Amino acid sequence: MNAELSRQNGGGEQYDLAIVGAGILGLAHAWRAAERGLRVLVLERRSFGSGASIRNFGMIWPVGQTQAGLWSTAMQSRGLWLELAQKAGIPIHECGSLHLAFRDDEWAVLEEFQAKQGEAFGTALISPGQVHKKTPAANDDGLIGALWSGSEVRVNPRVAVAAVPSFLIDGFDVKFEFSTTVIRVGDGQLEAADGRRWRAKHTIVCSGADFANLFPQTHRQAGLYNCKLQMLRTAQQTKFQIGPHLAGGLTLRHYEAFRSCEALPALCDRVAKETPELDQYGIHVMASQTDEGEVVLGDSHHYGDEIEPFDLAEVESLMLRELHKIIRLPDWTIQQRWHGYYAKSDKKPIVMEQPQPGVTIVNGVGGAGMTLSMGVGEEVINRLLGDKTLGAKLGEMASVG
Ligand SMILES: Cc1cc2nc3c(=O)[nH]c(=O)nc-3n(C[C@H](O)[C@H](O)[C@H](O)COP(=O)(O)OP(=O)(O)OC[C@H]3O[C@@H](n4cnc5c(N)ncnc54)[C@H](O)[C@@H]3O)c2cc1C
């Protein structure tokens, strides 16, 4: 339907569910809704989802979550990722992860974590010899041991975000409108910047770091702010597989899972005294590998008003300095550099708001959006279909689970 016609008739095609944003969160909602029989429309401002979701490590990382928090959502998400990958033909690997310890205070945190949570998480402390059986990439020099977790999974985000729309179009007749900026949502209608309109019984807004454009007040009240991360990718490593995702002691400062360890403040104090520049740029280091052999390396964290559009060479040097301490690669040639933004809330682990009837905002998944996306999508769709009025409104085809 052309824009003029759409304007004249006060709205074009009718959908059960419209989704704003074709990042991984929008795609997860689209898949879970389409599987339940809903007629779904996805609107994306770019020619493809090119936000945080294609810029990440591709780590599905349940070990970063807490049991009292989002670990079960992460594990559910992990299962759904495996299902989606199999159905959509996306390469996926149950690679697991290693937190490598080189300092006594890092090992102390890992020992405490293992004693308190090891059984529930299915993790294990392993010796340097065992580490080398899992990865050839761990640096021998000063390695005390590692925390092994088998839950982590690897996908190439660039492949996944491109493959899911085709899978949804072919398998479920989901309608995608790319290069379409939504400027208004309400009263069962969506309007694009070029005047086209659509009708939907419900709309889910997954606008990621662009949260200031639709429902800015609701997003602001939910405590959302942006975080910028710098990333690197090496040349293809020839015949060298790092195996599991790799992280070091600095990462223990970053994820919720380790926050309750009494040994953590000593580690944080030591890092702050020895290497304050790492705190200044929010640096901790991790590595994952693509199927083609490139190793994705990162990252740094700049929040809110600190964010500048310019990437800092110093941040890159510091990340590489810290990475050299924990891993060895045959080829450290950096072939790609980029940055990404994700939205995070200082009030909630995930932002789910209803700014008006018929509209749900889902955002603020922070640095764990790849991990949590499928589980969150499942939960939100279940909730919408479980809501008596809405569930009935969304149509008879949908099965309430
Ligand atoms: C560098 C980096 C590394 C990360 N590593 C990991 C990792 O390894 N594991 C992990 O679990 N998480 C990781 N994350 C976090 C994860 O990538 C994000 O949480 C997740 O991608 C957020 O998904 P999203 O769909 O909300 O956002 P996005 O992917 O940013 O998608 C939002 C989409 O909405 C579109 N949009 C916005 N407004 C409109 C509008 N008005 N009209 C139409 N379209 C609109 C945008 O164009 C965009 O495509 C990382 C993040 C970054 C930046």
Side-chain angles (χ1 to χ4, degrees):
M1 177 178 299
N2 69 33
E4 192 46 40
L5 190 56
S6 161
R7 252 194 308 274
Q8 282 166 10
N9 74 8
E13 302 130 88
Q14 167 83 51
Y15 292 86
D16 294 323
L17 184 67
I19 293 169
V20 180
I24 202 60
L25 213 47
L27 296 175
H29 286 87
W31 174 44
R32 298 321 297 151
E35 282 263 4
R36 305 289 288 279
L38 300 185
R39 187 152 185 260
V40 181
L41 165 72
V42 181
L43 302 151
E44 164 57 50
R45 76 161 72 207
R46 311 272 176 220
S47 55
F48 62 103
S50 51
S53 303
I54 61 156
R55 300 174 191 219
N56 61 45
F57 291 93
M59 293 174 169
I60 316 301
W61 190 260
V63 72
Q65 302 300 325
T66 62
Q67 263 211 303
L70 294 169
W71 182 75
S72 56
T73 307
M75 289 302 285
Q76 182 187 29
S77 198
R78 175 193 195 277
L80 288 166
W81 262 111
L82 293 172
E83 181 186 333
L84 174 65
Q86 191 260 326
K87 288 179 171 168
I90 299 167
I92 192 160
H93 306 276
E94 297 181 67
C95 60
S97 69
L98 287 170
H99 285 81
L100 305 164
F102 292 84
R103 302 288 291 256
D104 290 339
D105 51 17
E106 297 168 358
W107 187 246
V109 173
L110 294 183
E111 279 188 318
E112 188 182 340
F113 176 85
Q114 181 59 24
K116 288 179 174 165
Q117 321 257 18
E119 204 178 319
F121 276 73
T123 49
L125 289 179
I126 62 173
S127 66
Q130 291 168 310
V131 169
H132 286 298
K133 286 194 180 130
K134 293 199 180 287
T135 179
N139 189 350
D140 277 330
D141 195 7
L143 180 64
I144 299 172
L147 181 81
W148 159 253
S149 165
S151 302
E152 286 58 58
V153 176
R154 167 165 66 84
V155 291
N156 183 334
R158 305 179 192 191
V159 172
V161 170
V164 176
S166 310
F167 164 66
L168 294 178
I169 292 165
D170 296 345
F172 301 94
D173 206 18
V174 172
K175 175 89 170 160
F176 277 81
E177 295 283 359
F178 287 103
S179 305
T180 298
T181 300
V182 178
I183 55 164
R184 226 177 320 280
V185 180
D187 300 325
Q189 286 206 19
L190 295 99
E191 185 180 346
D194 62 8
R196 281 176 299 156
R197 287 184 193 171
W198 300 264
R199 282 176 289 130
K201 294 173 189 165
H202 198 87
T203 297
I204 299 179
V205 179
C206 298
S207 53
D210 293 334
F211 59 78
N213 296 321
L214 292 170
F215 306 106
Q217 241 170 323
T218 313
H219 281 101
R220 206 173 316 116
Q221 278 161 9
L224 281 170
Y225 58 93
N226 273 333
C227 175
K228 177 190 169 190
L229 296 81
Q230 275 183 230
M231 298 285 285
L232 308 166
R233 193 166 94 164
T234 70
Q236 289 177 352
Q237 310 291 323
T238 313
K239 295 189 183 143
F240 186 83
Q241 292 293 316
I242 71 169
H245 297 312
L246 300 175
L250 294 173
T251 294
L252 304 175
R253 292 141 65 238
H254 191 72
Y255 283 101
E256 282 299 317
F258 303 100
R259 291 263 148 89
S260 64
C261 291
E262 286 167 23
L264 185 63
L267 186 163
C268 295
D269 286 350
R270 192 258 304 161
V271 172
K273 280 192 196 113
E274 266 181 14
T275 48
E277 65 279 12
L278 300 180
D279 281 347
Q280 183 189 346
Y281 297 124
I283 290 173
H284 74 116
V285 288
M286 304 176 95
S288 67
Q289 192 169 24
T290 67
D291 288 336
E292 288 68 39
E294 300 101 344
V295 178
V296 182
L297 304 168
D299 52 17
S300 57
H301 296 78
H302 287 91
Y303 298 99
D305 294 339
E306 288 172 2
I307 295 175
E308 289 190 355
F310 317 108
D311 292 348
L312 298 177
E314 191 187 353
V315 166
E316 179 175 328
S317 312
L318 290 171
M319 292 196 301
L320 288 170
R321 182 188 81 189
E322 295 304 316
L323 283 157
H324 275 278
K325 290 181 188 170
I326 66 165
I327 61 171
R328 290 185 303 201
L329 297 176
D331 188 350
W332 283 92
T333 310
I334 301 301
Q335 276 199 338
Q336 287 190 358
R337 300 169 167 82
W338 69 93
H339 62 249
Y341 301 94
Y342 61 63
K344 195 173 164 58
S345 162
D346 56 14
K347 294 187 179 156
K348 303 166 179 203
I350 300 175
V351 170
M352 293 181 193
E353 300 289 336
Q354 291 227 310
Q356 56 177 252
V359 182
T360 303
I361 288 171
V362 186
N363 206 325
V365 277
M370 201 66 173
T371 304
L372 297 169
S373 52
M374 300 300 151
V376 171
E378 173 76 348
E379 193 180 316
V380 171
I381 297 303
N382 274 344
R383 240 192 250 181
L384 291 181
L385 292 174
D387 177 295
K388 270 192 200 137
T389 326
L390 187 64
K393 203 171 135 199
L394 280 176
E396 289 146 17
M397 285 159 75
S399 54
V400 178

